[in-house]
């Protein structure tokens, strides 16, 4: 499903892949962000927003900026949680210490711990 010929991915491309991979759906398809009304991945972005997988800033999603590691980790974890209809709950950080360049204070640390717990 994922185009592996590219070395980077935009937030909107990531949204498209996550909706396809996790087969996410939402009954309404109203625009949530002001900067996606004519975007080719508008539907995928809207589904993720309505499921609580992604959030924007100032009413915008900024669909064509590059996805950074933190964005990807949060989006993947939140998509998996949405698919399973669960909330993110981390009681202890058992796996995070296996990664050298992430501290417990990173905003995406709970999401990364969740993915590591699930061997993703």
């Amino acid at each position: 499903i994922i185009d592996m010929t590219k070395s980077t991915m935009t937030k909107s491309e990531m949204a498209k892949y996550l909706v396809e991979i996790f087969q996410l759906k939402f009954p309404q398809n109203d625009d949530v962000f002001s900067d996606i009304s004519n975007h080719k991945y508008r539907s995928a972005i809207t589904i993720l927003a309505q499921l609580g997988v992604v959030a924007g800033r100032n009413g915008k999603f900024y669909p064509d900026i590059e996805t950074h590691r933190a964005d990807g980790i949060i989006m993947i974890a939140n998509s998996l949680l949405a698919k399973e209809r669960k909330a993110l709950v981390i009681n202890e950080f058992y796996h995070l210490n296996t990664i050298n360049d992430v501290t417990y204070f990173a905003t995406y640390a709970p999401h990364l711990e969740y993915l590591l717990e699930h061997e993703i």
Side-chain angles (χ1 to χ4, degrees):
I1 293 176
I2 298 175
D3 180 0
M4 299 304 286
T5 62
K6 296 176 63 176
S7 62
T8 63
M9 185 181 304
T10 66
K11 288 175 60 181
S12 60
E13 291 168 332
M14 181 87 166
K16 171 194 167 278
Y17 290 132
L18 291 173
V19 166
E20 290 175 2
I21 290 167
F22 291 104
Q23 299 176 352
L24 298 172
K25 296 180 174 86
F26 198 84
Q28 298 174 351
N29 204 8
D30 300 326
D31 283 346
V32 177
F33 304 111
S34 64
D35 60 345
I36 65 165
S37 61
N38 293 317
H39 200 279
K40 66 180 177 179
Y41 301 130
R42 179 189 70 78
S43 180
I45 295 165
T46 301
I47 288 169
L48 292 186
Q50 291 174 326
L51 290 172
V53 172
V54 298
R57 284 188 324 256
N58 302 322
K60 295 183 179 185
F61 181 68
Y62 304 96
D64 298 317
I65 65 170
E66 213 173 88
T67 303
H68 297 229
R69 175 173 67 171
D71 299 323
I73 289 168
I74 291 169
M75 290 172 74
I76 293 168
N78 285 346
S79 294
L80 182 58
L81 289 161
K83 180 68 175 175
E84 296 176 350
R85 297 174 193 230
K86 294 182 178 177
L88 178 63
V89 177
I90 301 295
N91 295 318
E92 295 287 334
F93 286 91
Y94 295 111
H95 302 89
L96 201 60
N97 62 358
T98 64
I99 300 178
N100 296 333
D101 64 342
V102 178
T103 70
Y104 297 97
F105 302 109
T107 57
Y108 59 95
H111 297 84
L112 181 56
E113 179 66 27
Y114 177 79
L115 293 176
L116 292 169
E117 275 182 18
H118 290 82
E119 299 179 357
I120 296 174

